[in-house]
Amino acid sequence: VIVGGEMDMASMEIIFNPVTKVCEAPVQMKGNCGILVIDDFGRQRMTPEQLLNRWILPLENRIDSLTLPNGIKFQVPFNALLIFCTNLDPEKLMDEAFLRRIPYKIYMGDPTEDDFVKILKNASDQYDVRYDDAASEYMLETYFRNKHHMRSCYPRDILQQIVNVSLYEQKEPRMTKDVIDLGVKLYFTATKSSAPAD
C-alpha cells in the first residue's frame, strides 16, 4: 500500500460511507501483513508529529485501536512493514523518540550515469517509447553530465513529458533531441536555463 501527500488524519481511521453504508479500512490496516509506504513523508495534509503521535503506541505495541461509526472500539494487529520515504532531513521531521522507533534509515543517493541510463531504458519500456542511445547521450551531455545532479526520478518524469507532448501533437512518442529539449524545458520551468537546479 502506497500513500503520499494526500494522506490525512481521517485516512488512519475507519471511514464510513453514508451512501453505500460500507466502512473503509484505514491505510495501516490495508497494509497489514505487507508493506505500507508513506511516500513524500513530511508533505502530508498533517504534520509529521500528528502522524507519528497517532502511531507511536501501535508502532511499539504492534496493536492499533480503531472505532466503528457506532462507537464500538476494537483492536487489530499493526503488522505492516512501515517505510517512510522523504527527501527532507529526518531529524527535522521527528524527535529522538520517534527516530528510535524507526530503527533503520537508508540513504538513497543520486544514481550513477550507468544507473541513470538503466532507469531511462526501463522507463522507455514502461511508457512504450523506443529507447535511443544517441538521444540518451544527448540528454546526459546537454543537461546532466558535469552540470547538474542526476535524480532517479528524472528519466521517468522527462519521458512522461515526452509522452504527453506527443499525445497533444498526435505523434508517436520518440526520443529525439527536439522532444527531449521540450520535455526538459517543461519539467524544469523554474530555472532560467530550463535545466535541473542543484
Side-chain angles (χ1 to χ4, degrees), residues 8-195:
D8 57 15
M9 291 298 288
S11 63
M12 295 191 284
E13 305 299 337
I14 293 173
I15 300 169
F16 177 68
N17 186 322
V19 176
T20 63
K21 309 287 192 228
V22 173
C23 291
E24 183 179 347
V27 293
Q28 67 272 21
M29 196 170 172
K30 291 176 182 177
N32 253 343
C33 300
I35 299 171
L36 174 56
V37 178
I38 313 298
D39 199 12
D40 285 332
F41 179 58
R43 302 184 193 278
Q44 281 66 38
R45 296 179 184 176
M46 62 193 135
T47 66
E49 292 82 11
Q50 288 174 312
L51 186 152
L52 294 168
N53 280 331
R54 169 60 182 85
W55 282 348
I56 192 165
L57 288 176
L59 279 170
E60 193 160 308
N61 300 330
R62 311 307 286 172
I63 294 173
D64 194 11
S65 295
L66 299 173
T67 305
L68 290 170
N70 62 7
I72 294 175
K73 294 183 183 294
F74 65 102
Q75 293 184 326
V76 293
F78 190 93
N79 195 26
L81 174 59
L82 200 55
I83 298 175
F84 295 94
C85 301
T86 185
N87 60 358
L88 304 173
D89 184 351
E91 291 182 355
K92 292 181 180 174
L93 293 175
M94 60 187 90
D95 63 23
E96 184 185 343
F98 289 125
L99 287 169
R100 283 198 315 268
R101 287 173 173 83
I102 304 170
Y104 304 105
K105 292 96 178 164
I106 301 170
Y107 173 72
M108 301 289 288
D110 292 337
T112 64
E113 190 173 301
D114 287 344
D115 290 337
F116 190 90
V117 171
K118 285 177 189 173
I119 295 168
L120 184 61
K121 286 179 180 177
N122 289 337
S124 297
D125 290 341
Q126 179 186 349
Y127 288 113
D128 201 24
V129 177
R130 185 183 304 160
Y131 174 79
D132 183 275
D133 280 322
S136 173
E137 175 62 25
Y138 172 77
M139 184 192 301
L140 286 168
E141 184 60 34
T142 306
Y143 296 105
F144 297 106
R145 192 175 287 141
N146 300 318
K147 294 177 179 76
H148 302 283
H149 291 289
M150 286 186 275
R151 308 283 190 223
S152 297
C153 62
Y154 288 168
R156 177 201 64 203
D157 293 347
I158 292 169
L159 278 174
Q160 183 64 60
Q161 292 290 336
I162 290 169
V163 169
N164 290 338
V165 167
S166 300
L167 284 172
Y168 179 77
E169 294 179 346
Q170 298 181 345
K171 295 178 181 177
E172 180 186 354
R174 296 181 58 214
M175 288 178 65
T176 64
K177 291 181 181 181
D178 290 344
V179 78
I180 286 172
D181 288 339
L182 183 55
V184 170
K185 181 178 180 181
L186 290 170
Y187 188 56
F188 299 107
T189 55
T191 61
K192 211 171 187 181
S193 64
S194 300

